[in-house]
Amino acid sequence: MGTEKKKLIIDYLHEIQNKYGFIPKSELKKLSLQVNKSPAELYETASSYAYFSFTKKPQKVIKICDSPVCHIKGSENLLKHIEKLIGIKVGEKNSKIGLETTQCLGLCDQAPVMEITHSTGSGQDGKFYTKLTKEKITKILKKQRLI
Amino acid sequence: MQITIDNKKIKVGADWTILKAAQKAKIKIPTLCYHPDLKPSGRCGICVVEVNPSTGSGEPGKIMTSCNNLVREGMIVKTKSPKVLQQRKTNIQLVGCNFEKEEEFRKWLKLENLPDVKELRFKPKPSRKPDISSPAITIDFEKCILCGRCIQKCRDTQSVNAICFSERANAIKLDTSLGLDLDQTTCVQCGQCSVVCPTGAIKEHEHIDEVKAVLKDKTKHIVVQTAPSVRVAIGEEFGMPIGSLVTGKMVTALNKLGFDMVFDTNFGADLTIMEEANELLYRIKNKKPMPMFTSCCPAWVNFMEIFYPKYLKHLSSAKSPHQMFGAIVKSYYANKYKIKAEDIIVVSIMPCTAKKYEIQRDGMACDGCQDVDYVLTTRGLAKLLKEKNIDLKELKNSEFDMPLGLGSGGGAIFGTSGGVMESAIRTAHYVLTSKEIKNIEYKDVRNSSGIKKTTLKVAGQKLNLGIVHGLANARKLMEEIKSGKADYDFVEVMACPGGCIGGGGQPQPTTKEIVKKRASAIYQQDRKLKYRQAHNNPQIQQLYQEFLGKPLSKKSHHLLHTKYKKRSTCRR
Amino acid sequence: MPNAYGLTTFHLMKILTKNKFQTWEKVKNLSSPKIIKQVIKSELTGKGGANFSTGRKWELSYPVKYLICNADESEPGTFKDRFILQNNPELLIEGINIAIKALKAEKTYIYLREEYKSLKPKFNKIIKKHSQYDIEVIIGAGAYICGEEMAQINSLEGYRAESRHKPPYPAQRGLFSEKTCVNNVETFARLPLIWQDDFDPKLMLFAVSGDVENPGIYEAVQGIRLADLLKEAQPVDPKAIFFGASGGCLPYDDNLVLTHENIRNKEAMLGAGGIIILNQKRSIVDICRSIIQFFVDENCGKCLPCREGNFRLLQLFQVYLKRKWTVEEFDLIQELIPFVTQGSQCALGQSSTLHLETAIKHFKKEFTDHVENNS
């Protein structure tokens, strides 16, 4: 018996999130019929990943890295700066914008770092901004039309 | 292989866990999330021990959980070293911070045989509102200590997957499927989750207050019936040995609570056999689609309606024993003793949580009167007795009230897996051959480890019988039938492992070992009873003569049979 | 994705920018045992942090049904795999080809962290052009724990991002209960170099960040002095070195010899070569707070000691922002350190308080300055 072209569940979850911008619970019900796992198991799996969301993600999400290296390079102050600029606190969101902290993005040599993800028709694309300063952030957010 | 535990040298098997080795050496290691019927997960960290690879290595001992770590040749284990005790103490303090009141926590520690701790140093974390949507099961999330036993039962033993974990890290929580209310999931109300929950976070809707209120109402005639499984288990709640048969004491206790009549569900079980055995023969004779499945297990019925609705026509149309019993009480009994059916309240004491859902199903009422009004689980009855300071242990024996208090051995064995089948065989044999079966104790259908297949030769026919318990096994069987691989004529399915004696409403702990002991009490009772077959129960014969006519008669169908329908959840 | 800068004599880059897949042309005709023997002989060790002999691991695993390339690099301060994936993915694929041939793997998964997903199309192109094997790139979903091999296997099987108890080991019963081998990106990337004349098994990539003038990827031999490794990176007034978030810390010492064994003897862990330099002005307590926050965010939640212990540590480290610790609170911190590691079922839990343990050991005064009555 050879290796069948088996699609993995994490692939399906990405597919769903790419299509809808989040994972609707009704889609998990549909998926459970396809992959022979109960909706509860799929829900349990999807909810254990930071990337998957059960509620619609805002148009753009700012994720500022708060891991040790970015932390010592001043990520907390930058976070406060962003909060002031866009008028929402970390962990909050509206339909247009969300603000989160994230853990290490693997760009520690260019800390501090943030990622801005935006919803496209086929998923979320992320753009990384490095060696941030307050001025740089203001410029970026202006360019992204977030302030 | 040889290892040392607390300076005791013992021989162990190569695939033993450290915990198993300690148990064999009669050394007690406290556990919390560990359950003998479930795979060890290492979640709670309570069962830690200190391990050194061998003497003279000079390295400090390593702390590890004993439930899932295997023994190694020459291993040196210490179960009470200072490091171990400190680890356990901090651990318990962190578990405790989820309890509402400190005394509750200390009571619970005692119950779990865990060492007490002097202070709770940690402030509790915020939690969420309880889920009381289901008529049978409630979830109080604040009490959950994330041991994971309930989810293992629901997923691995029952394959129902109504509950799960969600989120991760500190946000991890017990959740329902897709975060829905429990009654919007595929929950079949079997209660296997509630029988393993160490804190009562998941437990049955108790209905104790409702029954207490009803007992105070002097305008009503209050009848109680008890399932065969209750009398072999309720003694455990009062410190009696496992497998004690306490029928007489149980009747006395119920009399003391103030019930007007104390009847025996075994009578209802006999009635079920009369209807169901004849239904089986009818189906075989008229070449109806086979196999026929038993229908006395409400969680199994729910399971069929939700997961295998195409096979509903294979389910026996007979109601479950206590439902039949309730229907007879509110018709035959009411007429005979000139009591208005609306003035009769029927309370069932059951080992089962699903019955709390069953009693409110469409069709479980006749002529406007619900067959059974309330269900208390075995645990629920014990709690009520304790509230009223009735110590079951100390009571004298009493007899069931008549006329509906006589059950045969065939009714008594309903409580254990294989019992319904065996009782049906005793009666079916007689119906087909007009002779009693030679081996009354048809041992071939006993001791099923999950799915058991056997054949019965009777009246020139060969019947393929299946005895299934645990819903994951039921699912396996259904898949075999679906794919055409299996060929059965009659299958008994019990949702709970071991049958009703292992039911979701039974005392804690309930394990495979304990269920075996309860089963032997059931079979012992069968041997001692005067009548061993349902069809020989004189009160059953009288009921048919005076009232029902014969099995599967129009009246029987009206009162004692029911219908099923496809559903996606148990929500009404 | 933005690239690393500040690199120096990058052996990996230098050798194969010209000779892509030429080693594969040679190796593809060798038998599996012969390849494995050569890898053992080369003394190549795993670059995911364990530093175990790759050839020996293959010998014990051979043959496997599944091969997994662990590209889920998420350790704070570690970005060496990203460097290879961005700059020389052909080398990775070539290495994977060699591994597949050696282990007779039927299917290979490259588990790529979600943040690197923009690299997937390029990988698929290279695979299509240069590999006849079944290699599939799977995108992760933001879980540090999935960098641990058992959790990665769980993730591929469609389960929660949660680790699993060992045994069974992947070589016995891994992905979908089949024999499996998991290797790190850098390990694969170094495989083709084994057939070069100047292969040096002691070479590894160090990711240098923090208070240095030129953070980036530096390639050096294991056994190099810290000062020599950082010659081009130029540390600024260094006080401490943190080995990622899970490797603990040591006081900065020019003469610190960077081998796994030496660092282990000093009760820290070199791990995957993440080097974070802190200068004299940095608060060790504060960086520990940040590391605790990391583990609080990223633990899977299964085991009570790790989940609750780290959470309580975080609460205590948030307290210190407002006031000094009481003596009891500081005692509690020290009590929770071994509590978390003992009874945790996976490497994340078992190493999640090493940073705190080593920080208190080497920088005790910074902590006791925050305690009332300064005991």
Side-chain angles (χ1 to χ4, degrees):
Chain A
M1 185 170 124
T3 43
E4 325 78 36
K5 201 65 182 175
K6 180 196 319 222
K7 197 158 170 190
L8 299 181
I9 285 176
I10 196 168
D11 280 334
Y12 280 112
L13 293 173
H14 273 294
E15 204 175 89
I16 295 172
Q17 176 141 313
N18 286 342
K19 184 166 174 197
Y20 297 95
F22 67 110
I23 299 186
K25 292 181 180 170
S26 52
E27 288 299 312
L28 285 182
K29 281 195 184 150
K30 272 200 237 157
L31 180 61
S32 83
L33 299 168
Q34 262 185 295
V35 299
N36 202 25
K37 272 207 193 277
S38 67
E41 287 164 293
L42 296 173
Y43 174 65
E44 191 181 85
T45 296
S47 67
S48 71
Y49 294 98
Y51 182 68
F52 294 131
S53 171
F54 295 112
T55 52
K56 202 167 175 111
K57 295 205 179 189
Q59 256 291 302
K60 297 204 174 168
V61 181
I62 304 173
K63 300 179 185 176
I64 188 144
C65 177
D66 196 30
S67 277
V69 180
C70 289
H71 180 84
I72 60 175
K73 294 287 184 184
S75 61
E76 276 188 333
N77 284 331
L78 296 178
L79 181 62
K80 288 200 184 87
H81 180 70
I82 298 175
E83 284 179 330
K84 243 191 269 166
L85 285 177
I86 61 175
I88 68 171
K89 296 246 170 233
V90 65
E92 294 176 1
K93 62 179 182 187
N94 55 44
S95 62
K96 192 170 173 225
I97 186 167
L99 178 60
E100 296 170 5
T101 53
T102 187
Q103 292 297 345
C104 187
L105 297 170
L107 291 159
C108 320
D109 53 333
Q110 298 158 76
V113 181
M114 77 179 174
E115 184 186 7
I116 301 186
T117 58
H118 61 278
S119 302
T120 67
S122 58
Q124 275 96 38
D125 277 346
K127 205 158 178 230
F128 296 87
Y129 301 92
T130 59
K131 294 186 236 149
L132 294 172
T133 59
K134 282 191 185 156
E135 297 75 35
K136 242 184 169 178
I137 287 179
T138 312
K139 236 181 177 176
I140 294 164
L141 294 184
K142 272 208 183 106
K143 194 158 178 221
Q144 292 273 326
R145 277 185 244 140
L146 291 169
I147 50 169
Chain B
M1 218 193 270
Q2 197 183 64
I3 70 168
T4 313
I5 303 185
D6 291 348
N7 296 317
K8 232 171 132 174
K9 279 198 166 61
I10 56 163
K11 279 210 174 65
V12 298
D15 61 345
W16 286 16
T17 58
I18 300 174
L19 183 64
K20 181 169 181 180
Q23 284 167 343
K24 296 284 184 182
K26 302 255 190 322
I27 294 174
K28 189 120 201 335
I29 300 179
T31 60
L32 181 51
C33 71
Y34 173 76
H35 192 280
D37 297 344
L38 300 170
K39 262 202 322 218
S41 66
R43 282 179 185 275
C44 73
I46 295 274
C47 68
V48 286
V49 292
E50 187 170 347
V51 172
N52 273 83
S54 60
T55 38
S57 64
E59 272 176 40
K62 196 165 176 227
I63 301 287
M64 59 175 76
T65 48
S66 54
C67 60
N68 58 359
N69 278 301
L70 299 178
V71 296
R72 285 221 184 117
E73 179 69 63
M75 196 183 240
I76 299 174
V77 179
K78 297 200 200 93
T79 70
K80 293 179 193 57
S81 74
K83 258 201 284 194
V84 168
L85 297 178
Q86 176 63 44
Q87 177 81 10
R88 189 168 296 132
K89 170 167 159 273
T90 313
N91 201 325
I92 289 175
Q93 287 173 323
L94 286 171
V95 172
C97 69
N98 262 359
F99 277 77
E100 242 176 73
K101 296 193 209 104
E102 210 171 297
E103 325 100 59
E104 241 186 70
F105 175 57
R106 294 192 191 288
K107 231 191 338 174
W108 174 75
L109 280 179
K110 231 182 165 177
L111 215 65
E112 290 290 324
N113 289 320
L114 290 173
D116 198 355
V117 291
K118 284 215 170 68
E119 358 85 61
L120 294 178
R121 291 189 290 190
F122 307 98
K123 293 200 223 61
K125 297 182 295 184
S127 193
R128 66 184 253 210
K129 278 202 326 240
D131 182 333
I132 51 171
S133 61
S134 148
I137 306 287
T138 63
I139 308 181
D140 184 356
F141 297 96
E142 283 199 12
K143 291 209 178 127
C144 176
I145 56 167
L146 301 170
C147 70
R149 284 179 178 182
C150 53
I151 295 170
Q152 275 188 283
K153 272 278 179 178
C154 193
R155 178 165 304 169
D156 300 330
T157 311
Q158 302 298 76
S159 74
V160 166
N161 283 295
I163 51 178
C164 59
F165 282 120
S166 71
E167 307 293 325
R168 72 168 186 219
N170 238 187
I172 191 174
K173 59 190 196 295
L174 168 65
D175 205 349
T176 49
S177 174
L178 302 178
L180 302 163
D181 279 346
L182 193 61
D183 75 337
Q184 287 181 298
T185 67
T186 54
C187 175
V188 297
Q189 328 283 322
C190 71
Q192 280 301 304
C193 51
S194 70
V195 83
V196 291
C197 178
T199 62
I202 295 195
K203 66 170 188 227
E204 72 274 29
H205 255 293
E206 289 184 327
H207 296 116
I208 293 178
D209 290 335
E210 288 88 329
V211 170
K212 276 206 292 211
V214 127
L215 281 167
K216 287 208 185 92
D217 189 345
K218 296 301 167 199
T219 65
K220 301 284 186 206
H221 183 74
I222 319 214
V223 161
V224 68
Q225 53 166 320
T226 60
S229 303
V230 180
R231 66 203 69 179
V232 298
I234 194 167
E236 294 165 32
E237 291 273 358
F238 295 89
M240 297 177 73
I242 300 170
S244 303
L245 181 61
V246 295
T247 319
K249 293 181 197 280
M250 178 184 68
V251 175
T252 309
L254 290 167
N255 278 320
K256 273 184 176 262
L257 282 175
F259 287 101
D260 292 312
M261 298 299 261
V262 181
F263 288 142
D264 189 353
T265 309
N266 293 8
F267 175 90
D270 285 341
L271 194 53
T272 304
I273 287 299
M274 294 303 291
E275 294 296 317
E276 201 163 331
N278 281 287
E279 183 189 0
L280 174 66
L281 298 175
Y282 171 85
R283 285 189 186 224
I284 294 174
K285 187 161 149 198
N286 292 285
K287 299 213 182 349
K288 297 283 182 191
M290 298 308 259
M292 183 175 99
F293 292 105
T294 55
S295 55
C296 46
C297 173
W300 160 240
V301 168
N302 291 339
F303 187 84
M304 279 284 262
E305 289 183 322
I306 293 175
F307 293 106
Y308 295 96
K310 290 208 176 85
Y311 290 84
L312 286 175
K313 56 183 181 290
H314 292 257
L315 260 181
S316 159
S317 58
K319 287 182 183 174
S320 69
H322 84 127
Q323 293 287 162
M324 285 196 178
F325 196 101
I328 292 297
V329 164
K330 297 205 179 176
S331 55
Y332 170 74
Y333 173 83
N335 282 342
K336 196 160 190 183
Y337 294 91
K338 310 264 190 296
I339 312 173
K340 277 211 216 106
E342 313 88 74
D343 289 336
I344 304 180
I345 301 280
V346 176
V347 178
S348 296
I349 315 291
M350 294 285 133
C352 176
T353 51
K355 296 219 181 271
K356 289 176 185 274
Y357 167 80
E358 187 190 29
I359 58 179
Q360 42 168 354
R361 282 175 67 98
D362 286 334
M364 294 302 180
C366 292
D367 309 312
C369 258
Q370 207 169 293
D371 296 337
V372 176
D373 299 285
Y374 300 100
V375 171
L376 285 184
T377 59
T378 312
R379 293 194 295 266
L381 176 61
K383 188 167 176 192
L384 176 56
L385 292 175
K386 285 175 189 169
E387 262 183 45
K388 302 276 182 190
N389 290 317
I390 300 174
D391 186 357
L392 190 86
K393 230 178 20 265
E394 305 302 320
L395 298 177
K396 290 204 164 54
N397 291 336
S398 306
E399 297 289 323
F400 281 113
D401 291 317
M402 297 296 155
L404 304 175
L406 182 64
S408 76
I413 58 177
F414 257 58
T416 177
S417 163
V420 179
M421 181 65 74
E422 190 173 333
S423 186
I425 289 173
R426 292 180 191 178
T427 295
H429 189 278
Y430 184 80
V431 171
L432 279 175
T433 66
S434 302
K435 283 204 287 255
E436 299 295 352
I437 191 169
K438 257 199 226 121
N439 43 344
I440 284 184
E441 296 187 7
Y442 198 81
K443 300 232 167 97
D444 264 1
V445 302
R446 300 186 181 187
N447 297 314
S448 159
S449 65
I451 305 180
K452 191 172 188 183
K453 194 173 185 179
T454 188
T455 45
L456 169 70
K457 291 197 187 75
V458 60
Q461 295 190 49
K462 210 171 96 168
L463 293 176
N464 288 330
L465 309 174
I467 302 96
V468 180
H469 55 105
L471 287 173
N473 290 321
R475 188 182 287 274
K476 228 182 177 178
L477 183 88
M478 291 310 295
E479 291 300 316
E480 279 178 22
I481 291 177
K482 249 171 100 175
S483 63
K485 282 203 212 121
D487 177 28
Y488 291 95
D489 296 297
F490 187 31
V491 180
E492 175 207 283
V493 179
M494 297 289 159
C496 295
C500 307
I501 43 176
Q506 290 287 65
Q508 284 190 9
T510 286
T511 66
K512 284 198 185 119
E513 290 305 311
I514 290 174
V515 164
K516 275 204 200 119
K517 293 200 178 116
R518 293 176 189 161
S520 86
I522 295 248
Y523 288 123
Q524 268 184 30
Q525 190 193 7
D526 170 40
R527 273 189 211 115
K528 294 210 198 103
L529 285 171
K530 183 170 182 191
Y531 304 102
R532 302 193 66 188
Q533 301 91 345
H535 53 272
N536 286 333
N537 182 337
Q539 289 184 3
I540 293 282
Q541 291 165 348
Q542 189 182 6
L543 175 64
Y544 277 101
Q545 260 170 18
E546 284 180 19
F547 188 62
L548 294 172
K550 56 182 174 92
L552 307 179
S553 70
K554 201 165 173 198
K555 205 165 212 170
S556 298
H557 263 111
H558 175 64
L559 290 170
L560 309 177
H561 289 256
T562 185
K563 292 196 178 64
Y564 310 105
K565 72 170 187 208
K566 171 179 170 163
R567 61 178 80 241
S568 55
T569 71
C570 278
R571 191 172 228 205
R572 295 200 72 212
Chain C
M1 279 192 71
N3 213 326
Y5 68 94
L7 54 93
T8 184
T9 50
F10 189 28
H11 199 72
L12 290 180
M13 271 299 250
K14 213 163 66 162
I15 290 293
L16 283 186
T17 31
K18 303 179 254 172
N19 314 9
K20 294 189 182 174
F21 289 99
Q22 285 194 9
T23 306
W24 173 238
E25 290 302 311
K26 273 192 272 176
V27 173
K28 73 181 185 187
N29 298 314
L30 300 175
S31 69
S32 302
K34 213 159 181 187
I35 300 175
I36 296 179
K37 209 165 164 196
Q38 184 70 9
V39 175
I40 295 176
K41 197 161 155 220
S42 75
E43 295 182 8
L44 174 70
T45 55
K47 297 288 177 281
N51 202 43
F52 188 67
S53 158
T54 305
R56 289 279 298 137
K57 181 173 178 175
W58 284 8
E59 196 180 39
L60 294 166
S61 312
Y62 172 87
V64 305
K65 180 152 184 189
Y66 292 106
L67 180 68
I68 300 176
C69 170
N70 187 344
D72 193 55
E73 171 182 73
S74 318
E75 178 76 39
T78 309
F79 42 96
K80 63 174 177 79
D81 292 343
R82 185 197 101 222
F83 193 81
I84 298 172
L85 297 170
Q86 281 183 299
N87 293 299
N88 207 340
E90 288 89 351
L91 195 56
L92 170 67
I93 303 300
E94 188 174 3
I96 289 179
N97 277 351
I98 296 174
I100 295 174
K101 184 82 209 289
L103 293 166
K104 290 209 168 74
E106 292 177 37
K107 169 117 197 180
T108 303
Y109 288 106
I110 300 178
Y111 192 101
L112 186 65
R113 70 175 290 187
E114 186 271 326
E115 290 79 357
Y116 296 173
K117 69 183 179 207
S118 57
L119 303 171
K120 181 173 173 175
K122 185 155 188 213
F123 292 171
N124 284 336
K125 238 170 157 179
I126 300 170
I127 292 169
K128 195 164 177 183
K129 189 163 177 206
H130 291 285
S131 179
Q132 78 255 48
Y133 297 115
D134 186 359
I135 304 173
E136 197 176 330
V137 179
I138 302 293
I139 306 292
Y144 164 78
I145 184 76
C146 288
E148 194 266 324
E149 66 179 3
M150 300 311 288
Q152 193 159 110
I153 288 175
N154 254 352
S155 179
L156 289 167
E157 289 189 9
Y159 292 118
R160 278 174 66 75
E162 197 177 83
S163 186
R164 249 190 234 176
H165 187 67
K166 292 192 272 207
Y169 292 85
Q172 300 166 295
R173 229 171 44 235
L175 184 60
F176 302 121
S177 298
E178 304 279 358
K179 289 181 63 133
T180 305
C181 186
V182 184
N183 283 117
N184 173 266
V185 164
E186 188 186 343
T187 314
F188 284 113
R190 293 200 177 270
L191 282 172
L193 307 180
I194 292 177
W195 282 266
Q196 307 289 331
D197 292 327
D198 54 354
F199 178 71
D200 186 350
K202 288 205 163 41
L203 280 174
M204 69 181 266
L205 296 181
F206 291 90
V208 178
S209 62
D211 295 319
V212 294
E213 288 293 324
N214 304 309
I217 299 295
Y218 293 88
E219 187 181 35
V221 286
Q222 294 176 33
I224 194 171
R225 273 171 73 238
L226 185 54
D228 292 331
L229 174 69
L230 300 181
K231 200 154 62 179
E232 279 191 44
Q234 287 179 40
V236 178
D237 205 17
K239 172 165 76 172
I241 168 175
F242 274 74
F243 299 100
S246 57
C249 70
L250 288 173
Y252 183 87
D253 177 7
D254 275 338
N255 293 311
L256 183 65
V257 172
L258 295 173
T259 63
H260 285 87
E261 199 188 333
N262 189 40
I263 305 299
R264 205 173 24 241
N265 288 337
K266 297 189 188 299
E267 293 172 359
M269 294 200 304
L270 184 57
I275 307 280
I276 306 173
I277 302 294
L278 298 187
N279 64 31
Q280 297 289 342
K281 290 195 280 218
R282 299 290 178 200
S283 157
I284 301 288
V285 179
D286 197 52
I287 200 184
C288 284
R289 172 170 72 93
S290 161
I291 297 179
I292 295 172
Q293 178 74 62
F294 174 79
F295 284 114
V296 164
D297 282 351
E298 293 292 340
N299 77 71
C300 72
K302 180 165 124 177
C303 307
L304 187 147
C306 173
R307 178 187 74 233
E308 301 293 332
N310 276 309
F311 179 71
R312 300 303 168 177
L313 279 171
L314 184 65
Q315 283 184 330
L316 287 161
F317 271 74
Q318 281 163 344
V319 150
Y320 103 95
L321 290 170
K322 302 194 191 108
R323 57 163 171 84
K324 290 197 174 183
W325 287 312
T326 63
V327 175
E328 288 80 31
E329 281 169 338
F330 188 57
D331 282 345
L332 183 54
I333 289 174
Q334 293 180 90
E335 192 185 302
L336 286 172
I337 290 172
F339 170 71
V340 168
T341 57
Q342 295 165 172
S344 282
Q345 300 284 311
C346 83
L348 185 157
Q350 286 156 4
S351 58
S352 58
T353 54
L354 183 60
H355 66 103
L356 202 50
E357 185 185 335
T358 48
I360 293 180
K361 180 170 161 198
H362 297 294
F363 302 98
K364 186 142 194 194
K365 185 163 187 301
E366 289 205 33
F367 286 87
T368 52
D369 278 350
H370 279 290
V371 182
E372 280 174 15
N373 311 321
N374 210 343
S375 58

